[in-house]
């Protein structure tokens, strides 16, 4: 049976649609790969692309997209709310079907080696592929962003796994690794007070005493004159969306503001939404087997 890997590269371009289309075209034209989704965020100045396929084809598409991004994106002039260190900021590989996490780790190393050697971009392995414990967390690697990488890579703890020992002058540094599926989940608040968003992000963030499987930051959405609690839910089965949403709503009320909406960036497992519906609707004796599409299409 075919092995299926998901790849969700993040590119530091969220305002120039033509540039993003040229990057995504490198994925579209790769035989054996299916483009599932891509989206741009102007405030974050960042795009997220999702595609799947057999491992070798996925690696080829990811490499070509990274190469095109390095040609088109110059971080020396890049500004946006979201932290970034590379034109292609991060490339995660996620095992979907008939492939193990360890196999994805090996494929991530293969991809990282090509990027480092052929594109002259330093690559740091992260998550399950990390070569040392302090590199597992992407936020730790990316701290200091592009501008700080020129000094950071001089530290032994952050010496690149592949490629040169200093950032590419315009494309920066790229993180590559294998990980489990995560959900990029954002909650918007009807205030422009960034301190409120940051305090709420701190309340739900695992590292600051919140939910273990939640990573969170507070951002301004200047075009909408509101703020956002932006999260990566790294294990929705242990920290469900509805639980974090309720805490954010309660915390917002403490500060006299309201939740005005939420969003999923990229794709989301159906079970995460079914669990949320089950919780808020207080469904009795409900299970995933009662979802119509599940009965039609099976697994």
């Amino acid at each position: 049976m075919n092995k299926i890997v998901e790849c969700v590269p993040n590119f530091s371009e969220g305002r120039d649609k033509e540039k993003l289309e040229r990057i995504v075209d490198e994925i579209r034209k790769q035989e054996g790969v299916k483009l599932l989704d891509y989206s741009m965020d102007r405030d974050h100045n960042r795009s997220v692309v999702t595609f799947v396929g057999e491992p070798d084809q996925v690696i080829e598409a990811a490499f070509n997209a990274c190469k095109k991004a390095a040609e088109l994106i110059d971080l020396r002039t890049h500004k946006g709310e979201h932290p970034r260190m590379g034109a292609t900021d991060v490339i995660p590989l996620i095992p979907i079907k008939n492939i193990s996490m360890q196999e994805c780790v090996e494929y991530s190393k293969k991809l990282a080696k090509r990027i480092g050697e052929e594109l002259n971009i330093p690559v740091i392995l992260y998550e399950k592929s990390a070569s040392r414990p302090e590199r597992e967390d992407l936020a730790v690697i990316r701290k200091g962003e592009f501008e700080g990488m020129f000094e950071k890579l001089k530290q032994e703890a952050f010496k690149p796994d592949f490629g040169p020992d200093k950032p590419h002058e315009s494309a920066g540094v790229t993180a590559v690794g294998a990980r489990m599926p995560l959900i990029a989940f954002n909650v918007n608040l009807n205030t422009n007070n960034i301190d409120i968003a940051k305090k709420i992000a701190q309340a739900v963030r695992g590292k600051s005493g919140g939910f273990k499987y939640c990573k969170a930051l507070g951002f301004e959405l200047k075009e909408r004159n509101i703020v956002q609690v932006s999260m990566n839910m790294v294990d929705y089965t242990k920290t469900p969306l509805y639980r974090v949403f309720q805490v954010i709503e309660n915390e917002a009320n403490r500060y006299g503001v309201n939740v005005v909406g939420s969003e999923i960036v990229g794709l989301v497992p159906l079970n995460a939404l079914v669990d949320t519906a089950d919780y808020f609707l207080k469904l009795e004796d409900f299970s995933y087997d009662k979802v119509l599409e599940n009965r039609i299409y099976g697994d």
Side-chain angles (χ1 to χ4, degrees), residues 236-247:
Y236 71 89
T237 66
K238 295 176 180 175
T239 301
L241 300 185
Y242 60 79
R243 188 164 296 144
V244 177
F245 181 84
Q246 281 196 312
V247 171

Side-chain angles (χ1 to χ4, degrees), residues 25-86:
D25 279 344
E26 297 298 318
I27 297 166
R28 286 192 182 101
K29 68 185 183 183
Q30 176 63 50
E31 188 175 347
V33 161
K34 182 175 182 179
L35 177 66
L36 299 180
D37 183 70
Y38 63 104
S39 60
M40 302 174 66
D41 189 298
R42 187 171 184 83
D43 288 296
H44 289 194
N45 201 4
R46 188 176 184 86
S47 296
V48 178
V49 181
T50 305
F51 62 98
V52 295
E54 294 200 38
D56 287 324
Q57 284 74 27
V58 165
I59 294 304
E60 187 67 24
F63 174 82
N64 289 332
C66 183
K67 181 179 180 180
K68 183 60 67 175
E71 295 172 5
L72 298 176
I73 299 171
D74 189 339
L75 287 185
R76 292 171 295 188
T77 58
H78 179 277
K79 300 294 181 184
E81 287 295 316
H82 200 288
R84 82 286 182 264
M85 64 180 183

Side-chain angles (χ1 to χ4, degrees), residues 153-203:
L153 295 195
K154 294 178 182 178
Q155 302 174 35
E156 183 62 30
F158 294 101
K159 182 179 179 181
D161 293 287
F162 297 98
D165 289 339
K166 61 180 181 179
H168 186 284
E169 62 178 4
S170 59
V173 182
T174 296
V176 176
R179 63 161 172 78
M180 294 300 293
L182 66 74
I183 301 172
F185 179 48
N186 301 330
V187 178
N188 298 330
L189 309 175
N190 68 338
T191 177
N192 59 8
N193 188 335
I194 186 60
D195 289 336
I196 292 177
K198 288 181 176 179
K199 287 176 181 177
I200 295 175
Q202 184 178 27

Side-chain angles (χ1 to χ4, degrees), residues 22-278:
R22 291 176 66 185
I23 294 168
V24 173
D25 279 344
E26 297 298 318
I27 297 166
R28 286 192 182 101
K29 68 185 183 183
Q30 176 63 50
E31 188 175 347
V33 161
K34 182 175 182 179
L35 177 66
L36 299 180
D37 183 70
Y38 63 104
S39 60
M40 302 174 66
D41 189 298
R42 187 171 184 83
D43 288 296
H44 289 194
N45 201 4
R46 188 176 184 86
S47 296
V48 178
V49 181
T50 305
F51 62 98
V52 295
E54 294 200 38
D56 287 324
Q57 284 74 27
V58 165
I59 294 304
E60 187 67 24
F63 174 82
N64 289 332
C66 183
K67 181 179 180 180
K68 183 60 67 175
E71 295 172 5
L72 298 176
I73 299 171
D74 189 339
L75 287 185
R76 292 171 295 188
T77 58
H78 179 277
K79 300 294 181 184
E81 287 295 316
H82 200 288
R84 82 286 182 264
M85 64 180 183
T88 302
D89 199 51
V90 58
I91 308 177
L93 299 179
I94 301 107
I96 298 297
K97 187 176 182 181
N98 300 323
I99 187 167
S100 68
M101 179 64 73
Q102 187 54 44
E103 287 177 283
C104 281
V105 168
E106 295 308 314
Y107 277 109
S108 73
K109 292 178 180 178
K110 179 179 177 181
L111 173 60
K113 187 172 187 290
R114 281 195 69 190
I115 292 171
E117 292 181 354
E118 297 181 36
L119 303 183
N120 207 35
I121 296 172
V123 180
I124 297 177
L125 297 171
Y126 84 114
E127 279 283 352
K128 304 297 183 182
S129 305
S131 55
R132 48 202 305 170
E134 59 267 34
R135 300 186 189 209
E136 291 180 13
D137 189 341
L138 179 60
V140 172
I141 296 171
R142 195 164 52 199
K143 187 176 182 180
E145 301 192 46
F146 169 69
E147 292 78 7
M149 288 297 135
F150 294 87
E151 288 300 318
K152 189 168 188 173
L153 295 195
K154 294 178 182 178
Q155 302 174 35
E156 183 62 30
F158 294 101
K159 182 179 179 181
D161 293 287
F162 297 98
D165 289 339
K166 61 180 181 179
H168 186 284
E169 62 178 4
S170 59
V173 182
T174 296
V176 176
R179 63 161 172 78
M180 294 300 293
L182 66 74
I183 301 172
F185 179 48
N186 301 330
V187 178
N188 298 330
L189 309 175
N190 68 338
T191 177
N192 59 8
N193 188 335
I194 186 60
D195 289 336
I196 292 177
K198 288 181 176 179
K199 287 176 181 177
I200 295 175
Q202 184 178 27
V204 297
R205 185 190 307 128
K207 280 199 167 184
S208 52
F211 295 103
K212 182 177 180 180
Y213 299 100
C214 175
K215 299 178 180 181
L217 292 170
F219 292 130
E220 292 181 89
L221 302 185
K222 293 180 180 178
E223 289 201 346
R224 297 177 60 183
N225 197 34
I226 61 174
V227 297
Q228 179 181 86
V229 180
S230 179
M231 295 167 286
N232 279 341
M233 309 297 294
V234 298
D235 190 340
Y236 71 89
T237 66
K238 295 176 180 175
T239 301
L241 300 185
Y242 60 79
R243 188 164 296 144
V244 177
F245 181 84
Q246 281 196 312
V247 171
I248 291 174
E249 202 167 39
N250 291 339
E251 289 293 309
N253 289 338
R254 286 182 57 215
Y255 295 107
V257 302
N258 297 312
V259 170
V260 292
S262 64
E263 65 175 344
I264 300 290
V265 180
L267 303 183
V268 58
L270 178 60
N271 275 347
L273 300 181
V274 170
D275 289 346
T276 300
D278 183 15

